[in-house]
Amino acid sequence: MCSSDLVETTSGRNSGSDREEILRIRSDSLDWVDVDHEVVVLDVEGSTYLAANESGSVMWRLLAEGTTLADLITALVDGYGIEAERAASDVGRFIGELDAQNLLERQ
C-alpha cells in the first residue's frame, strides 16, 4: 500500500454530532515500524504486509496517536505545500485503503 495509490473518501463527521470523528490505527494484531521515512506494517490478523511512503507515513503516525480528517489534511498542506483540495483527496484515498484493510478504529 502506498499513500499515493489509495482510493475512496470517508466522512469526518459523526451523524448527529458537531464533534469531528477521531480516527485511530487498529491497536490489536498490528505491528509497524518506521524505516527511512516510510512505515512498514505487518497485519498479523490478516497475514498482510503493507508499506506507506513518506506522506503516508506522516498520516500513519498521526493516526497511531488518534487524529481527525482535518488534522491529516493540515499535516499534508503544511508538510508538503500542496493545495487543501489535493490534500483532502490524498487523505480520503489513504483512509479508504485503510478502511478496506480493516485497519482503522473510529471514536
Side-chain angles (χ1 to χ4, degrees):
M1 165 181 69
C2 292
S3 67
S4 62
D5 298 301
L6 304 169
V7 289
E8 200 172 311
T9 58
T10 306
S11 170
R13 299 278 177 193
N14 290 327
S15 56
S17 173
D18 288 337
R19 188 176 65 86
E20 194 165 8
E21 182 174 54
I22 300 296
L23 304 172
R24 186 179 312 275
I25 295 296
R26 188 183 84 217
S27 59
D28 61 322
S29 303
L30 201 61
D31 293 318
W32 63 277
V33 65
D34 260 313
V35 179
D36 295 326
H37 305 292
E38 295 183 351
V39 169
V40 178
V41 181
L42 176 61
D43 179 2
V44 178
E45 186 176 284
S47 299
T48 306
Y49 160 86
L50 309 161
N53 66 17
E54 186 176 340
S55 61
S57 298
V58 167
M59 291 185 281
W60 184 275
R61 284 192 234 44
L62 290 171
L63 288 162
E65 301 280 326
T67 192
T68 64
L69 289 174
D71 287 341
L72 291 170
I73 292 166
T74 298
L76 293 185
V77 169
D78 292 348
Y80 297 96
I82 61 176
E83 297 292 323
E85 294 79 18
R86 175 165 176 210
S89 176
D90 290 351
V91 166
R93 285 192 307 270
F94 190 72
I95 294 300
E97 182 66 26
L98 295 180
D99 274 336
Q101 298 289 330
N102 194 32
L103 297 178
L104 284 180
E105 299 173 342
R106 288 177 160 72
Q107 300 172 340

